[in-house]
Amino acid sequence: MQERTQKMDKSIKNGIIGFVVGDVLGVPVEFMAREELRKNPVVDLREYGTHNQPLGSWSDDTSMTLATMDSIIHKEEINTTDIGNRFLNWYRKNEYTPLGKVFDIGRTTIQALVKYELKLDEAKNCGEEGEYSNGNGSLMRMIPIAYYIYYKKIKDDKEIYNIVKDVSSITHRHEVSILGCYIYVSFILGLLNGLEKEQAYKNIKKLNYNYFSKDSFKRYDRILKADITALNLDDINSDGYIVNTLECVLYMFLKSNDYNTAILEGVNLGNDTDTIGSCLGGLLGLYYGLDHIKESWRKNIIKYDYIIDLCNKFESIILGKKA
């Protein structure tokens, strides 16, 4: 069993590569039922499958995360207009894709990007805000935002809330989606601040959630009021509803002992496997470190060197250095 090193390496490539590997493992089996994967579990990288993509392909989760990072590199700040433009370049021009083709994009994200493309509003106001628009499409691109907030030493709760709200709202503007992103980012910040995973979990229960309605807050009771790890695995849903995704990711992470075992267990829960894999993989990579991720998984990522280079540039920018 791999153990986490005594002092966590906070290099951005740990979380980002962990994220991408989880996405790559999940892409070929997306939408497969848990029962089906119990019979034929993922034990290594697969090719083709659900989306008929070659080995090492990543989905919209990684594409939108890379676009977010690239925007921060070029603007040296979080600029939702520029992020929105880069999302459009991904959607319309196939930028930030592994092989020049968008093969996986959510309905809510499409609706928001078309609204922005038509200039119906500024990017941060174009996200869908209906009750049925609470998928995990903004949660999956929050890890660079957490790194940015940490390295820029942003401590004010309200400022963190506003950053998360604006970035989520490019595509997902319902309060439930924003709250899920806020919890996830806050959990990552706890880890980056040196908390062990159990302490980071306790920490998010103590945060100020006065920016959110009681109804939205109540959706996350199993995380914030109870102990999510006390549930049985069969009680954990791995679909695309943001509340369920966050429960699943935190549950699997808090029960983890190493990257490789935990990421396979997460992907093998089935259904929205790419986003479960990516959001879980980001936490696992950040916590256990790049060197604890199976080398063949890392090196088979399409455009691996490009992603590492983007991580290095992103880190240089948010640390105030020249890339």
Side-chain angles (χ1 to χ4, degrees):
M1 181 181 295
Q2 299 169 341
E3 294 295 336
R4 188 168 75 96
T5 53
Q6 189 66 31
K7 188 175 181 181
M8 187 172 70
D9 179 357
K10 298 177 184 179
S11 297
I12 285 160
K13 61 180 178 290
N14 293 307
I16 297 300
I17 296 301
F19 177 99
V20 180
V21 167
D23 188 6
V24 167
L25 283 165
V27 163
V29 294
E30 188 178 14
F31 309 129
M32 287 181 66
R34 189 173 302 184
E35 294 72 22
E36 189 175 356
L37 285 170
R38 280 174 177 159
K39 297 173 184 175
N40 182 24
V42 176
V43 296
D44 204 344
L45 295 184
R46 292 185 182 183
E47 52 189 345
Y48 304 111
T50 301
H51 297 285
N52 198 33
Q53 298 298 307
L55 194 76
S57 297
W58 24 272
S59 73
D60 54 339
D61 299 58
T62 296
S63 293
M64 298 185 84
T65 296
L66 298 180
T68 300
M69 292 169 63
D70 203 26
S71 175
I72 294 171
I73 289 167
H74 285 86
K75 290 295 183 180
E76 300 189 17
E77 64 177 1
I78 293 174
N79 182 306
T80 53
T81 298
D82 190 72
I83 294 173
N85 289 337
R86 291 176 192 276
F87 287 171
L88 267 181
N89 287 343
W90 160 66
Y91 175 47
R92 293 301 192 190
K93 299 179 182 179
N94 299 301
E95 295 183 11
Y96 308 107
T97 58
L99 293 168
K101 181 181 179 182
V102 174
F103 63 84
D104 189 22
I105 181 170
R107 173 186 56 81
T108 300
T109 296
I110 291 174
Q111 290 172 333
L113 293 182
V114 169
K115 190 187 301 182
Y116 179 59
E117 184 177 39
L118 295 173
K119 303 301 180 191
L120 300 181
D121 209 330
E122 57 182 312
K124 66 181 182 180
N125 294 329
C126 283
E128 295 295 292
E129 53 184 347
E131 177 62 38
Y132 294 101
S133 299
N134 280 314
N136 50 28
S138 60
L139 182 73
M140 69 190 193
R141 51 184 172 81
M142 281 293 143
I143 193 167
I145 304 304
Y147 274 122
Y148 179 90
I149 291 168
Y150 173 76
Y151 279 109
K152 289 298 184 182
K153 297 179 170 60
I154 299 169
K155 304 289 188 182
D156 182 71
D157 286 347
K158 188 63 180 293
E159 187 175 359
I160 293 171
Y161 162 74
N162 282 327
I163 290 171
V164 171
K165 174 174 69 68
D166 288 350
V167 174
S168 174
S169 295
I170 298 171
T171 55
H172 293 69
R173 197 153 59 104
H174 193 285
E175 189 179 62
V176 170
S177 290
I178 296 166
L179 176 52
C181 293
Y182 183 76
I183 295 168
Y184 185 65
V185 167
S186 298
F187 185 79
I188 293 171
L189 291 174
L191 297 176
L192 289 171
N193 280 312
L195 297 179
E196 292 299 323
K197 57 187 179 182
E198 296 82 6
Q199 283 301 123
Y201 182 41
K202 290 178 181 177
N203 187 61
I204 61 170
K205 294 184 176 186
K206 301 174 184 175
L207 296 179
N208 175 17
Y209 292 102
N210 291 336
Y211 310 115
F212 302 97
S213 68
K214 290 181 179 179
D215 177 67
S216 294
F217 183 79
K218 188 170 180 56
R219 310 279 186 100
Y220 292 94
D221 273 358
R222 297 209 308 179
I223 294 172
L224 299 176
K225 292 294 185 182
D227 177 2
I228 191 68
T229 65
L231 297 174
N232 294 318
L233 185 59
D234 288 342
D235 297 322
I236 298 297
N237 194 321
S238 54
D239 66 15
Y241 175 42
I242 187 170
V243 177
N244 292 340
T245 298
L246 188 59
E247 287 183 351
C248 182
V249 166
L250 291 178
Y251 180 91
M252 299 306 294
F253 175 68
L254 290 166
K255 286 183 169 289
S256 71
N257 292 303
D258 67 278
Y259 183 96
N260 299 323
T261 303
I263 197 65
L264 290 175
E265 289 174 346
V267 167
N268 282 314
L269 294 179
N271 208 333
D272 201 5
T273 51
D274 58 338
T275 303
I276 296 297
S278 60
C279 290
L280 173 60
L283 296 182
L284 293 167
L286 183 155
Y287 194 73
Y288 293 106
L290 186 69
D291 291 341
H292 283 200
I293 302 173
K294 192 173 179 180
E295 184 177 13
S296 63
W297 293 353
R298 290 185 272 128
K299 296 302 174 68
N300 274 298
I301 295 171
I302 294 173
K303 297 183 180 176
Y304 178 76
D305 291 341
Y306 158 73
I307 296 173
I308 289 290
D309 183 58
L310 202 67
C311 288
N312 292 334
K313 288 178 179 176
F314 182 76
E315 189 165 298
S316 293
I317 288 297
I318 62 178
L319 287 174
K321 301 175 183 178
K322 290 298 179 186

